[in-house]
Amino acid sequence: MTMNLNITKIDESTLQELLEHVEKPGRYIGGELNSVTKEDNFNGLRFAFGFPDLYEIGMSYLGMQILYNIVNEHKELSCERFFAPYMDMEELLRNRQLPLFTLETKSSISTFDVVGFTLQYEMSYTNILNMLDLGGISLYSKDRTEEEPIIIAGGPCAYNPQPLADFIDAFLIGDGEEVLPQVLGLIHKLKKEGKNRLDILRTLSTSSLGVYVPIFYCEEYDELGNLIAHKSEENIPNPVMRTIISDIEHIEFPTKPIIPFIETVHDRAVVETFRGCTRGCRFCQAGIIYRPIRERSKERVGQLACEQLMSTGFEELSLLSLSTSDHSQFEPMALELMEKCKESNVSLSLPSLRLDNFSFNVLEEIQGYKKSGLTFAPEAGTQRLRDVINKNITENDIFSAVEQAIQLGWRKVKLYFMIGLPTETYEDLDGIAKLAQEIMQIYRNSGKKSGFNVVVSVSNFVPKAFTPFQWVGQNTKEEFAKKHEYLLEKLKIRGVTFNYHDDYTSVLEAIFARGDRRCVKLLHLAWKNKCRFDGWSEFLNTDGWDKAIAEFNSYLKDNWNIDVTYFNERSRAETELLPWDIINSGVTKAFLLKELHKAIDSVTTKDCRDGCEGCGINRFVQCKWSKGGRG
């Protein structure tokens, strides 16, 4: 149902009526502590920042808090938030022809100068289309009028922007803290000068701000359906270089984050200790696209933590990074924070601790007698496969850590594995069960009498852009299901619990993770079939996706005699042009290929901190360890 574009704001009485009919009104009311509402006569640029999932998910995302705070610091810029409405609210909005609105002023998102989305997960894409439609905004960039907002997007999924290319006007590639306000400020300046939509987008594209504007590019395919060219208009950058903040020590960080009225997924104070990773796991996209490592000093982390706790009243503090214990000052930083947290009666959470690099003394101090479960991520069941993925941990690392944990009183260990990894065999699956069984035996040998539980959690491998495995094909849905059934039998071990990820979702994720612009059609078909919240198992509309895929397959077969498996199951040739080659991540393709060849030979690569491996990132920003050594 088309939204009534004459309604530019939801008035108080209408809002109250809507809230009486929804499950969680706190998702839509706004007005939270530390939220910002600029004056009614504000005449600067208005930016609506959307998270394509529920409020309680989006408000747990640190990036939104950071960017919201930074944009609102600028006098000529205003940032308001909006989220994907739950089914009950969507039904009310559609039935009453009311637009999707922001929390701060309850304004229709169609009334803003710029509307932005963060792309954290491919399975949120149908929500983006749904939110645009609910806002009364044309889905396709080519159809938008001068009166409609400019639609931007950023985040990790923007590194392969092609499946969303026809819907998004401009993608911001890389770190956003500096670039987002610059882009918004430039749009504001150009609008005041009377520039039209096309002129604004052209200026953004040539601005050296890491902006990819799809309208100025096109993809060409051969008769077999293979991508053979990324063409761009004259003077348009090709490829687009990501933006990299060289130092995060003094970058703005929210010490007064917004405090939700309702419980969110992560209800705590959070401080990012460093960005990037030196480990080099070959399946991990974040480990590549966030290079190089950039640390905050322990003094700065402590300052930010104290200020956040004072301004929020949170009872938990969490440190955020890809591998918390890899911070060069981890132990003194953790010990100092523990003391500060004890003084304030605040608990300290240290997620993402590496099996081979953390202090049990620190964990013992943090958790005391209330020991929650310990989480380890071996990722693969055998040493051979751990070498393939460059995990760089051994069975001895795992068993010695578990033994120490048991002696110190931990009663639950959670093990994360991935199945469908390149070169995987059923012997590697047997290794998963063997690890779980041997951990249970370690517990029995310890003489402890209390209950002990091992949770084996298995996810499905999804090849991602800008990783050494970007060329590798994915297992079929049937192969994943067969492996899950095999593990179900193998893990019928007393004291062991087995959880695994949905196969259908993993397949869809891979299609869009490595898709090209043709996948725009599949996405639109799925949305028209009422697909949304695809990352939630209870909402995944497999019938809608099946119909969309069937129609998409007909389109692909008629034009190139291929089907949707071309995007996820097919291995790429090393010389093949890739859809995301239009983006420069800073890490060279030659390095990624070298890592792929080493994976096939089960050869590991050492941690960057033990000597530079020449990934190429230091051509753009000085890597702390580019000359070798631990800095």
Side-chain angles (χ1 to χ4, degrees):
M1 184 175 291
T2 304
M3 298 299 109
N4 185 345
L5 297 183
N6 293 322
I7 300 175
T8 60
K9 186 176 285 193
I10 305 296
D11 60 50
E12 187 65 30
S13 62
T14 302
L15 179 64
Q16 288 302 321
E17 187 183 353
L18 292 173
L19 297 180
E20 290 173 5
H21 295 90
V22 297
E23 180 185 351
K24 291 187 178 180
R27 290 170 171 153
Y28 313 104
I29 58 178
E32 309 100 318
L33 179 66
N34 296 330
S35 62
V36 177
T37 303
K38 299 215 168 174
E39 62 276 7
D40 291 338
N41 61 350
F42 177 76
N43 60 2
L45 180 131
R46 299 171 66 233
F47 172 54
F49 191 179
F51 191 94
D53 210 317
L54 295 178
Y55 173 90
E56 48 267 51
I57 307 296
M59 285 306 298
S60 298
Y61 168 53
L62 178 60
M64 173 169 265
Q65 297 267 16
I66 291 173
L67 296 175
Y68 178 88
N69 178 68
I70 286 175
V71 172
N72 278 319
E73 286 290 317
H74 290 259
K75 290 182 179 179
E76 290 197 330
L77 304 178
S78 168
C79 180
E80 300 186 27
R81 298 160 296 142
F82 68 104
F83 301 88
Y86 191 66
M87 308 298 187
D88 50 6
M89 179 60 88
E90 178 184 344
E91 184 178 3
L92 288 169
L93 294 177
R94 291 196 182 279
N95 288 343
R96 303 184 190 196
Q97 298 183 45
L98 297 172
L100 184 60
F101 55 88
T102 59
L103 299 192
E104 279 74 9
T105 63
K106 311 303 181 291
S107 299
S108 167
I109 64 170
S110 67
T111 65
F112 285 75
D113 299 295
V114 181
V115 169
F117 293 93
T118 179
L119 309 178
Q120 297 295 312
Y121 179 38
E122 289 85 357
M123 300 316 295
S124 69
Y125 288 179
T126 54
N127 279 4
I128 292 173
L129 300 197
N130 204 44
M131 293 162 80
L132 289 173
D133 185 66
L134 282 167
I137 298 171
S138 302
L139 291 187
Y140 285 90
S141 178
K142 63 182 175 60
D143 296 332
R144 289 184 193 125
T145 65
E146 293 295 333
E147 289 71 38
E148 292 186 83
I150 289 173
I151 309 301
I152 66 174
C157 292
Y159 281 81
N160 179 19
Q162 307 301 9
L164 283 168
D166 290 357
F167 306 118
I168 304 297
D169 295 319
F171 292 87
L172 278 58
I173 313 296
D175 297 319
E177 289 98 327
E178 292 177 344
V179 167
L180 179 59
Q182 289 177 22
V183 165
L184 296 178
L186 180 56
I187 294 172
H188 183 45
K189 174 179 174 289
L190 295 170
K191 276 179 164 284
K192 287 197 295 185
E193 292 173 359
K195 302 294 186 184
N196 64 29
R197 185 181 197 87
L198 192 61
D199 287 341
I200 292 172
L201 292 175
R202 188 178 299 279
T203 303
L204 289 176
S205 184
T206 57
S207 64
S208 301
L209 292 174
V211 181
Y212 172 62
V213 180
I215 198 171
F216 299 127
Y217 303 80
C218 67
E219 293 181 341
E220 289 189 2
Y221 311 96
D222 64 19
E223 66 279 3
L224 299 175
N226 298 317
L227 179 65
I228 56 173
H230 284 295
K231 294 208 168 174
S232 55
E233 293 187 9
E234 189 177 355
N235 298 322
I236 298 296
N238 187 349
V240 174
M241 179 64 200
R242 71 176 260 224
T243 58
I244 308 173
I245 294 173
S246 59
D247 180 13
I248 67 168
E249 175 78 357
H250 302 294
I251 285 288
E252 284 283 330
F253 192 87
T255 54
K256 294 183 178 180
I258 301 167
I259 312 300
F261 290 129
I262 64 173
E263 185 176 352
T264 58
V265 174
H266 299 305
D267 196 19
R268 60 197 183 192
V270 181
V271 178
E272 181 190 33
T273 57
F274 67 89
R275 195 170 299 177
C277 184
T278 61
R279 296 280 177 161
C281 295
R282 292 172 179 141
F283 57 83
C284 181
Q285 185 186 53
I288 296 293
I289 64 174
Y290 292 127
R291 290 188 178 205
I293 284 272
R294 291 147 291 166
E295 286 189 354
R296 283 190 172 91
S297 66
K298 71 178 177 65
E299 291 78 17
R300 179 66 173 153
V301 170
Q303 175 196 354
L304 294 172
C306 288
E307 291 180 14
Q308 259 202 61
L309 291 170
M310 286 180 64
S311 69
T312 62
F314 280 127
E315 297 178 350
E316 181 182 354
L317 168 67
S318 180
L319 301 185
L320 178 70
S321 69
L322 291 174
S323 178
T324 305
S325 51
D326 281 346
H327 192 285
S328 63
Q329 299 173 296
F330 169 65
E331 290 201 17
M333 180 173 66
L335 292 169
E336 288 179 20
L337 286 172
M338 278 195 299
E339 288 304 313
K340 290 175 182 176
C341 288
K342 277 183 183 178
E343 293 170 8
S344 306
N345 198 27
V346 170
S347 62
L348 178 63
S349 172
L350 298 174
S352 304
L353 295 177
R354 292 282 179 167
L355 225 168
D356 56 348
N357 185 30
F358 68 81
S359 167
F360 270 101
N361 292 332
V362 171
L363 286 171
E364 174 76 358
E365 187 73 23
I366 290 172
Q367 297 197 0
Y369 293 106
K370 297 179 180 178
K371 291 180 170 64
S372 59
L374 282 181
T375 300
F376 301 144
E379 304 293 0
T382 62
Q383 192 60 48
R384 182 200 68 82
L385 193 53
R386 285 193 290 276
D387 290 345
V388 167
I389 64 177
N390 206 47
K391 189 64 183 174
N392 281 324
I393 59 171
T394 66
E395 281 194 4
N396 185 58
D397 293 327
I398 297 166
F399 295 147
S400 62
V402 168
E403 189 170 3
Q404 191 172 359
I406 290 170
Q407 291 302 322
L408 290 170
W410 268 272
R411 299 180 181 180
K412 183 176 180 180
V413 170
K414 189 168 188 177
L415 303 174
Y416 279 112
F417 295 95
M418 200 177 291
I419 64 168
L421 287 162
T423 78
E424 180 184 74
T425 67
Y426 274 79
E427 286 184 8
D428 299 307
L429 301 185
D430 291 339
I432 294 175
K434 183 171 175 283
L435 276 175
Q437 195 161 30
E438 292 195 17
I439 288 173
M440 288 303 302
Q441 188 59 49
I442 289 172
Y443 170 73
R444 285 191 286 269
N445 293 344
S446 72
K448 299 278 184 179
K449 300 298 182 184
S450 56
F452 183 76
N453 181 229
V454 175
V455 178
V456 174
S457 186
V458 166
S459 63
N460 303 322
F461 168 67
V462 175
K464 296 279 187 173
F466 295 106
T467 69
F469 292 158
Q470 65 183 359
W471 289 277
V472 178
Q474 186 190 39
N475 280 186
T476 66
K477 188 154 53 86
E478 292 72 25
E479 285 171 330
F480 279 134
K482 186 178 177 183
K483 289 178 179 181
H484 289 147
E485 289 171 9
Y486 185 83
L487 283 171
L488 272 171
E489 286 300 314
K490 287 285 181 178
L491 287 165
K492 287 181 177 176
I493 303 167
R494 186 177 177 184
V496 175
T497 304
F498 177 45
N499 301 320
Y500 58 91
H501 195 265
D502 178 74
D503 304 326
Y504 202 113
T505 304
S506 299
V507 168
L508 293 175
E509 183 183 345
I511 290 168
F512 290 106
R514 294 199 301 172
D516 56 38
R517 285 203 188 187
R518 290 172 290 191
C519 290
V520 163
K521 183 176 182 67
L522 173 60
L523 183 59
H524 194 194
L525 288 168
W527 171 74
K528 288 200 295 185
N529 288 340
K530 309 293 185 189
C531 296
R532 50 196 71 6
F533 291 108
D534 302 305
W536 295 69
S537 57
E538 61 265 43
F539 297 130
L540 181 63
N541 180 359
T542 54
D543 288 343
W545 276 106
D546 284 343
K547 290 175 186 175
I549 288 171
E551 189 171 340
F552 186 54
N553 278 340
S554 296
Y555 159 75
L556 293 173
K557 185 169 185 189
D558 290 345
N559 287 279
W560 299 283
N561 199 30
I562 59 175
D563 66 15
V564 73
T565 61
Y566 179 91
F567 301 106
N568 67 314
E569 294 177 17
R570 182 179 66 93
S571 293
R572 286 3 184 212
E574 293 180 7
T575 56
E576 186 174 335
L577 186 66
L578 302 171
W580 49 92
D581 283 341
I582 200 66
I583 305 299
N584 185 349
S585 73
V587 173
T588 66
K589 190 181 273 192
F591 171 77
L592 297 178
L593 276 171
K594 183 174 76 171
E595 285 297 295
L596 174 64
H597 297 157
K598 290 172 79 171
I600 293 168
D601 294 334
S602 302
V603 175
T604 60
T605 297
K606 63 180 179 291
D607 190 304
C608 292
R609 293 168 298 177
D610 294 319
C612 180
E613 289 292 328
C615 75
I617 196 66
N618 56 21
R619 294 171 298 155
F620 305 100
V621 59
Q622 184 61 43
C623 178
K624 183 177 179 182
W625 292 285
S626 62
K627 295 181 181 178
R630 288 190 174 263

